[in-house]
Amino acid sequence: MKIKRTLFAALAMLATSFITPVSAHDDAPAHEVHRIAIQISDNNPGTFNKALNNATNMSKFFLSRGEDYEIEIVAYNAGLHLLRPDTSPVLDRIKSFTDSVPNVTLSACGNTIKGMSKKAGKQIEIVPNARVVPGGVIRLMELSDQDYFMIRP
């Protein structure tokens, strides 16, 4: 009987030597970044204000929880008027928004800018706190491929 216990103890020690201990961090969730894309494709100040309100509220929520986030508002088609200094009725709101809400990018469709410039017979401008992307729909597709949650207010 003593031999059986000794043999069993030896086998148990051998078996446990192949088990890798699991640290508390191994089953912790991966660091998550919340990613949201907001589409603006119509020239409606109310819709744009809803988009800015949504982005502000999400920003406050994630900041209060200490969570990382990225929000991108993509304007194309008639929605680009809202990012044009010469046609936007929400310029003051855009300025205060980008000054006070971190981790939000305003993107303007380059294709729409080209079309509007051609129609106007001159190069149109966009607000300085927005960046130009080659195409608004293409940008939304890229963001979707990067697991952004899509919102269209």
Side-chain angles (χ1 to χ4, degrees), residues 71-145:
I71 300 172
E72 187 164 337
I73 299 173
V74 181
Y76 67 96
N77 202 346
L80 190 73
H81 282 287
L82 299 164
L83 295 180
R84 289 179 53 176
D86 62 334
T87 60
S88 178
V90 291
L91 289 178
D92 290 338
R93 176 83 196 273
I94 291 170
K95 172 81 170 105
S96 67
F97 173 81
T98 55
D99 287 346
S100 63
V101 183
N103 302 329
V104 178
T105 303
L106 297 175
S107 295
C109 175
N111 288 332
T112 304
I113 291 171
K114 287 177 193 171
M116 287 182 174
S117 295
K118 184 176 180 180
K119 187 174 181 178
K122 62 178 183 167
Q123 182 64 36
I124 64 154
E125 302 295 322
I126 60 166
V127 295
N129 40 350
R131 68 181 185 143
V132 177
V133 296
V137 173
I138 297 299
R139 183 63 186 150
L140 289 168
M141 289 172 53
E142 291 170 347
L143 294 173
S144 178
D145 289 344

Side-chain angles (χ1 to χ4, degrees), residues 34-89:
H34 302 282
R35 292 179 172 92
I36 299 99
I38 302 175
Q39 170 187 333
I40 300 296
S41 58
D42 60 328
N43 186 12
N44 182 330
T47 300
F48 194 72
N49 277 315
K50 281 187 230 174
L52 296 179
N53 291 342
N54 288 334
T56 300
N57 292 335
M58 286 183 282
S59 173
K60 286 178 184 176
F61 175 78
F62 294 132
L63 288 172
S64 75
R65 294 175 54 155
E67 297 176 8
D68 293 330
Y69 67 95
E70 297 170 2
I71 300 172
E72 187 164 337
I73 299 173
V74 181
Y76 67 96
N77 202 346
L80 190 73
H81 282 287
L82 299 164
L83 295 180
R84 289 179 53 176
D86 62 334
T87 60
S88 178

